[in-house]
PDB file of all heavy atoms in Angstrom:
ATOM      1  N   SER A 337     -20.633   1.605 -24.621  1.00  0.00           N
ATOM      2  CA  SER A 337     -20.914   1.421 -23.203  1.00  0.00           C
ATOM      3  C   SER A 337     -19.632   1.067 -22.460  1.00  0.00           C
ATOM      4  O   SER A 337     -18.673   0.570 -23.044  1.00  0.00           O
ATOM      5  CB  SER A 337     -21.981   0.339 -22.992  1.00  0.00           C
ATOM      6  OG  SER A 337     -21.517  -0.895 -23.474  1.00  0.00           O
ATOM      7  N   TRP A 338     -19.638   1.360 -21.162  1.00  0.00           N
ATOM      8  CA  TRP A 338     -18.492   1.083 -20.320  1.00  0.00           C
ATOM      9  C   TRP A 338     -18.295  -0.430 -20.272  1.00  0.00           C
ATOM     10  O   TRP A 338     -19.276  -1.162 -20.297  1.00  0.00           O
ATOM     11  CB  TRP A 338     -18.777   1.643 -18.911  1.00  0.00           C
ATOM     12  CG  TRP A 338     -17.645   1.436 -17.971  1.00  0.00           C
ATOM     13  CD1 TRP A 338     -16.545   2.204 -17.843  1.00  0.00           C
ATOM     14  CD2 TRP A 338     -17.501   0.367 -17.044  1.00  0.00           C
ATOM     15  NE1 TRP A 338     -15.719   1.680 -16.890  1.00  0.00           N
ATOM     16  CE2 TRP A 338     -16.288   0.550 -16.386  1.00  0.00           C
ATOM     17  CE3 TRP A 338     -18.265  -0.747 -16.714  1.00  0.00           C
ATOM     18  CZ2 TRP A 338     -15.821  -0.312 -15.414  1.00  0.00           C
ATOM     19  CZ3 TRP A 338     -17.816  -1.609 -15.752  1.00  0.00           C
ATOM     20  CH2 TRP A 338     -16.599  -1.395 -15.105  1.00  0.00           C
ATOM     21  N   PRO A 339     -17.109  -0.988 -20.241  1.00  0.00           N
ATOM     22  CA  PRO A 339     -15.829  -0.347 -19.978  1.00  0.00           C
ATOM     23  C   PRO A 339     -15.143   0.223 -21.216  1.00  0.00           C
ATOM     24  O   PRO A 339     -14.101   0.862 -21.100  1.00  0.00           O
ATOM     25  CB  PRO A 339     -14.991  -1.462 -19.367  1.00  0.00           C
ATOM     26  CG  PRO A 339     -15.518  -2.704 -19.983  1.00  0.00           C
ATOM     27  CD  PRO A 339     -16.990  -2.454 -20.204  1.00  0.00           C
ATOM     28  N   ASP A 340     -15.703   0.004 -22.403  1.00  0.00           N
ATOM     29  CA  ASP A 340     -15.064   0.508 -23.617  1.00  0.00           C
ATOM     30  C   ASP A 340     -15.297   1.994 -23.832  1.00  0.00           C
ATOM     31  O   ASP A 340     -14.484   2.654 -24.464  1.00  0.00           O
ATOM     32  CB  ASP A 340     -15.564  -0.265 -24.831  1.00  0.00           C
ATOM     33  CG  ASP A 340     -15.185  -1.739 -24.739  1.00  0.00           C
ATOM     34  OD1 ASP A 340     -14.072  -2.016 -24.266  1.00  0.00           O
ATOM     35  OD2 ASP A 340     -15.990  -2.581 -25.122  1.00  0.00           O
ATOM     36  N   LYS A 341     -16.386   2.520 -23.321  1.00  0.00           N
ATOM     37  CA  LYS A 341     -16.661   3.944 -23.467  1.00  0.00           C
ATOM     38  C   LYS A 341     -15.767   4.735 -22.516  1.00  0.00           C
ATOM     39  O   LYS A 341     -15.637   4.391 -21.346  1.00  0.00           O
ATOM     40  CB  LYS A 341     -18.135   4.230 -23.157  1.00  0.00           C
ATOM     41  CG  LYS A 341     -18.513   5.683 -23.325  1.00  0.00           C
ATOM     42  CD  LYS A 341     -19.987   5.890 -23.056  1.00  0.00           C
ATOM     43  CE  LYS A 341     -20.368   7.339 -23.234  1.00  0.00           C
ATOM     44  NZ  LYS A 341     -21.801   7.533 -22.990  1.00  0.00           N
ATOM     45  N   ILE A 342     -15.165   5.783 -23.011  1.00  0.00           N
ATOM     46  CA  ILE A 342     -14.283   6.618 -22.195  1.00  0.00           C
ATOM     47  C   ILE A 342     -15.137   7.488 -21.273  1.00  0.00           C
ATOM     48  O   ILE A 342     -15.961   8.269 -21.735  1.00  0.00           O
ATOM     49  CB  ILE A 342     -13.392   7.515 -23.083  1.00  0.00           C
ATOM     50  CG1 ILE A 342     -12.582   6.670 -24.072  1.00  0.00           C
ATOM     51  CG2 ILE A 342     -12.469   8.382 -22.237  1.00  0.00           C
ATOM     52  CD1 ILE A 342     -11.627   5.690 -23.445  1.00  0.00           C
ATOM     53  N   LEU A 343     -14.941   7.328 -19.954  1.00  0.00           N
ATOM     54  CA  LEU A 343     -15.703   8.100 -18.976  1.00  0.00           C
ATOM     55  C   LEU A 343     -14.894   9.257 -18.391  1.00  0.00           C
ATOM     56  O   LEU A 343     -15.434  10.095 -17.673  1.00  0.00           O
ATOM     57  CB  LEU A 343     -16.206   7.196 -17.843  1.00  0.00           C
ATOM     58  CG  LEU A 343     -17.060   5.997 -18.270  1.00  0.00           C
ATOM     59  CD1 LEU A 343     -17.528   5.226 -17.044  1.00  0.00           C
ATOM     60  CD2 LEU A 343     -18.235   6.421 -19.111  1.00  0.00           C
ATOM     61  N   LYS A 344     -13.609   9.296 -18.695  1.00  0.00           N
ATOM     62  CA  LYS A 344     -12.748  10.372 -18.193  1.00  0.00           C
ATOM     63  C   LYS A 344     -13.279  11.714 -18.692  1.00  0.00           C
ATOM     64  O   LYS A 344     -13.573  11.882 -19.870  1.00  0.00           O
ATOM     65  CB  LYS A 344     -11.305  10.164 -18.665  1.00  0.00           C
ATOM     66  CG  LYS A 344     -10.330  11.145 -18.096  1.00  0.00           C
ATOM     67  CD  LYS A 344      -8.920  10.820 -18.546  1.00  0.00           C
ATOM     68  CE  LYS A 344      -7.962  11.879 -18.033  1.00  0.00           C
ATOM     69  NZ  LYS A 344      -6.588  11.613 -18.452  1.00  0.00           N
ATOM     70  N   GLY A 345     -13.423  12.677 -17.772  1.00  0.00           N
ATOM     71  CA  GLY A 345     -13.945  13.989 -18.116  1.00  0.00           C
ATOM     72  C   GLY A 345     -15.438  14.120 -17.888  1.00  0.00           C
ATOM     73  O   GLY A 345     -15.982  15.221 -17.839  1.00  0.00           O
ATOM     74  N   MET A 346     -16.109  13.000 -17.717  1.00  0.00           N
ATOM     75  CA  MET A 346     -17.548  12.993 -17.468  1.00  0.00           C
ATOM     76  C   MET A 346     -17.821  13.328 -16.006  1.00  0.00           C
ATOM     77  O   MET A 346     -16.956  13.171 -15.146  1.00  0.00           O
ATOM     78  CB  MET A 346     -18.085  11.591 -17.807  1.00  0.00           C
ATOM     79  CG  MET A 346     -19.573  11.410 -17.706  1.00  0.00           C
ATOM     80  SD  MET A 346     -20.089   9.690 -18.013  1.00  0.00           S
ATOM     81  CE  MET A 346     -19.883   9.575 -19.764  1.00  0.00           C
ATOM     82  N   ASP A 347     -19.011  13.783 -15.690  1.00  0.00           N
ATOM     83  CA  ASP A 347     -19.416  14.020 -14.313  1.00  0.00           C
ATOM     84  C   ASP A 347     -19.395  12.682 -13.566  1.00  0.00           C
ATOM     85  O   ASP A 347     -19.817  11.652 -14.112  1.00  0.00           O
ATOM     86  CB  ASP A 347     -20.821  14.637 -14.292  1.00  0.00           C
ATOM     87  CG  ASP A 347     -21.303  14.891 -12.889  1.00  0.00           C
ATOM     88  OD1 ASP A 347     -20.767  15.805 -12.244  1.00  0.00           O
ATOM     89  OD2 ASP A 347     -22.197  14.145 -12.429  1.00  0.00           O
ATOM     90  N   GLY A 348     -18.898  12.674 -12.331  1.00  0.00           N
ATOM     91  CA  GLY A 348     -18.751  11.437 -11.556  1.00  0.00           C
ATOM     92  C   GLY A 348     -20.044  10.682 -11.364  1.00  0.00           C
ATOM     93  O   GLY A 348     -20.092   9.462 -11.508  1.00  0.00           O
ATOM     94  N   ASP A 349     -21.140  11.399 -11.051  1.00  0.00           N
ATOM     95  CA  ASP A 349     -22.430  10.728 -10.853  1.00  0.00           C
ATOM     96  C   ASP A 349     -22.951  10.151 -12.168  1.00  0.00           C
ATOM     97  O   ASP A 349     -23.545   9.073 -12.191  1.00  0.00           O
ATOM     98  CB  ASP A 349     -23.442  11.701 -10.251  1.00  0.00           C
ATOM     99  CG  ASP A 349     -23.075  12.098  -8.826  1.00  0.00           C
ATOM    100  OD1 ASP A 349     -22.436  11.276  -8.128  1.00  0.00           O
ATOM    101  OD2 ASP A 349     -23.422  13.221  -8.410  1.00  0.00           O
ATOM    102  N   GLU A 350     -22.710  10.866 -13.260  1.00  0.00           N
ATOM    103  CA  GLU A 350     -23.120  10.381 -14.574  1.00  0.00           C
ATOM    104  C   GLU A 350     -22.338   9.114 -14.936  1.00  0.00           C
ATOM    105  O   GLU A 350     -22.904   8.147 -15.456  1.00  0.00           O
ATOM    106  CB  GLU A 350     -22.876  11.476 -15.611  1.00  0.00           C
ATOM    107  CG  GLU A 350     -23.389  11.164 -16.988  1.00  0.00           C
ATOM    108  CD  GLU A 350     -23.114  12.299 -17.968  1.00  0.00           C
ATOM    109  OE1 GLU A 350     -22.939  13.458 -17.533  1.00  0.00           O
ATOM    110  OE2 GLU A 350     -23.056  12.003 -19.172  1.00  0.00           O
TER     111      GLU A 350
END
Side-chain angles (χ1 to χ4, degrees):
S337 62
W338 181 83
D340 297 322
K341 182 178 180 179
I342 304 298
L343 304 182
K344 185 177 176 180
M346 184 184 286
D347 179 71
D349 293 331
E350 186 180 337

